Amino acid sequence: MADTSASLTLLEACWRDLVLGVVQGLTEFLPISSTAHLKVVPELLGWGDPGVSVTAAIQLGSIVAVIAYFRTDLSQVLRGISRAFRNGQWREPETRLGFAMVVGTLPILLIGLGIKFAWAQGYEQSTLRSVPSIAIVSIVMALLLALAERVGARRKQLQGVSGRDGLLVGLAQALALIPGVSRSGSTLTAALFGCWQRADAARFSFLLGIPAISIAGLVELKDALAASPGNGPLPLLVGIGSAAVVSWLAIDWLLKFLQRNSTWVFVAYRLLFGLLLLVWWGVHGAN
């Protein structure tokens, strides 16, 4: 389906990016894949694929939200790392959390940069970004989340995080480069397999995502601005702003939800989402 963004008025472009920002905010931190929804929702509305650059740039709104929401945690991490370098106190919880975040960011950073500089055009046009591929991936990830919910113990807390935890969850985070996987979903699934308590698993997932999403958004920001030269930066800023507000609300809701509930509702949603996409593609895909 062709992208008609070049012919949009400023108001129309702002409206589209506002909707994309809301979709981004609702789906970035819930385990249901923001990339999949930012690909599929515009297609269903007849807007065409917004592209990798716009998708990544709008994610900056989610980063603003998560940094603001976890500002106290991040401040403690930075102070812990500073004390570690000054006094050699590497076993404090804040220091271990910072180290786990660094280690966990490396896999997606290395693979993501490899895609950006060696396979950018091929990735943009890859069948991995097709509707049926996203649908199948969504179903597979739903089944993995269900298995993790079923077999994982619930004993590990964030204060006990280690570099090994960071690496394992970070490897799962790298899977989110495949549209439909869900960065939040893959990291939450890996943490549940690793016996984390649900709310602590979500909290670590949010914190781990800060470097990865920030780097991806900043790298793609220039290309995203160039994608709509006629309307300037305002539509993209509207999208980033709406993503920030809705992301804050989604983070707050999910942390409170997982303190008292399981992830089965997200398993059901992802299964239904994948099945409906396959049905829709079967009916309309040829057109």
Side-chain angles (χ1 to χ4, degrees):
M1 193 174 293
D3 184 4
T4 59
S5 59
S7 61
L8 296 177
T9 66
L10 178 60
L11 183 59
E12 290 171 333
C14 287
W15 167 249
R16 287 198 181 185
D17 280 11
L18 174 68
V19 172
L20 293 177
V22 171
V23 172
Q24 162 65 25
L26 285 173
T27 58
E28 176 61 45
F29 297 108
L30 303 184
I32 58 176
S33 181
S34 62
T35 304
H37 285 76
L38 285 171
K39 163 71 176 179
V40 170
V41 170
E43 292 279 6
L44 295 178
L45 293 174
W47 294 351
D49 186 354
V52 173
S53 296
V54 172
T55 298
I58 287 180
Q59 289 176 340
L60 289 173
S62 295
I63 286 301
V64 171
V66 75
I67 289 175
Y69 194 93
F70 292 108
R71 59 191 181 279
T72 302
D73 301 68
L74 292 172
S75 177
Q76 291 174 349
V77 167
L78 291 175
R79 287 199 297 268
I81 292 175
S82 177
R83 286 195 301 271
F85 277 108
R86 292 198 312 268
N87 306 321
Q89 299 175 348
W90 292 97
R91 293 187 177 275
E92 292 187 358
E94 296 83 1
T95 307
R96 293 202 309 271
L97 176 57
F99 180 69
M101 289 171 61
V102 171
V103 172
T105 300
L106 292 178
I108 195 171
L109 177 62
L110 295 175
I111 298 173
L113 289 176
I115 291 174
K116 173 65 178 176
F117 295 109
W119 193 45
Q121 185 175 0
Y123 177 77
E124 183 86 30
Q125 300 172 355
S126 170
T127 55
L128 291 175
R129 288 177 51 79
S130 67
V131 170
S133 175
I134 289 172
I136 293 171
V137 169
S138 181
I139 293 170
V140 171
M141 292 306 299
L143 296 176
L144 287 175
L145 180 56
L147 183 61
E149 184 66 55
R150 175 67 69 179
V151 305
R154 303 286 171 263
R155 59 175 182 267
K156 185 175 292 186
Q157 296 179 316
L158 189 60
Q159 63 185 13
V161 69
S162 65
R164 179 178 178 275
D165 295 321
L167 178 60
L168 293 176
V169 179
L171 289 171
Q173 179 176 244
L175 294 175
L177 293 169
I178 303 173
V181 165
S182 169
R183 192 203 61 80
S184 177
S186 62
T187 53
L188 183 60
T189 299
L192 291 179
F193 273 124
C195 303
W196 288 62
Q197 294 184 8
R198 296 184 186 93
D200 290 79
R203 200 173 191 89
F204 183 58
S205 171
F206 296 157
L207 291 169
L208 182 61
I210 292 175
I213 306 174
S214 298
I215 293 170
L218 292 173
V219 167
E220 299 290 354
L221 184 59
K222 180 180 178 181
D223 291 341
L225 290 171
S228 56
N231 292 312
L234 181 59
L236 192 60
L237 292 176
V238 169
I240 292 173
S242 62
V245 172
V246 179
S247 291
W248 174 288
L249 297 174
I251 292 169
D252 188 63
W253 177 83
L254 184 62
L255 286 176
K256 293 175 180 176
F257 178 83
L258 290 179
Q259 288 175 357
R260 300 179 297 274
N261 301 277
S262 70
T263 62
W264 286 108
V265 64
F266 303 114
V267 172
Y269 177 87
R270 299 205 69 179
L271 284 172
L272 183 61
F273 178 72
L275 292 172
L276 289 177
L277 281 184
L278 287 176
V279 171
W280 178 85
W281 181 77
V283 174
H284 301 283
N287 299 324

